[in-house]
Amino acid sequence: MSATDAFEDALLDLLFLNTAIANIGDATGLTATTSAGSCQVSLHTVALTDTDTLLTTNECDYTGYARQTVARSGSGWTSTGGTASNAALIQFGEKTGGADDTAVHCGIGFIATGDVLRIHADLTSDLTISNGVNPQYAIGALDITLD
C-alpha cells in the first residue's frame, strides 16, 4: 500500500511546520503541538539504516562540529509538493582541528525526543571535512520526502 500524496504532504506539514492533520480519528485529527519546538539536523560518517535509533550513531565529531537546531515552523522549513526543505541556511561549524571526517549521511531528530533518530538519508556525495571546511545546506538544499 501507499499513502496518498495529500496525506504525505499533511505528514510533512505536521512534522516540519507543526500544522494539524484534520479528520484522523475525529474531526480534530492529529493536532499540532502547543509549542512547536525544533528539530536537529546531524551529519554522520557511516550510512545509517532504518534500524538505527540514535542521532549519535557514527555522528561527525570534528573540532567545531555541532548538530544544528531548526525551528518546526515556516522560518525553518517550507513544505510543498511532497517535499519539505530548509527555509534558512544550515551550517554545522567550521572544522578547526583534529582528524578529518568524511560525512556520508544526514539525520533528523526532534528536540522533545532527545537524540532519537527519526529521518535519515545519504548525502548526494561524500563530503571530506578538513580544516577550514564549514559543512552547510544552502536554503532549499535539504529536501525531505516520504516514500
Side-chain angles (χ1 to χ4, degrees), residues 16-35:
F16 293 98
L17 299 175
N18 196 37
T19 303
I21 304 174
N23 302 316
I24 294 182
D26 63 20
T28 305
L30 298 175
T31 59
T33 58
T34 304
S35 174

Side-chain angles (χ1 to χ4, degrees), residues 99-112:
D100 290 354
D101 264 352
T102 299
V104 301
H105 214 81
C106 175
I108 296 177
F110 296 89
I111 298 296

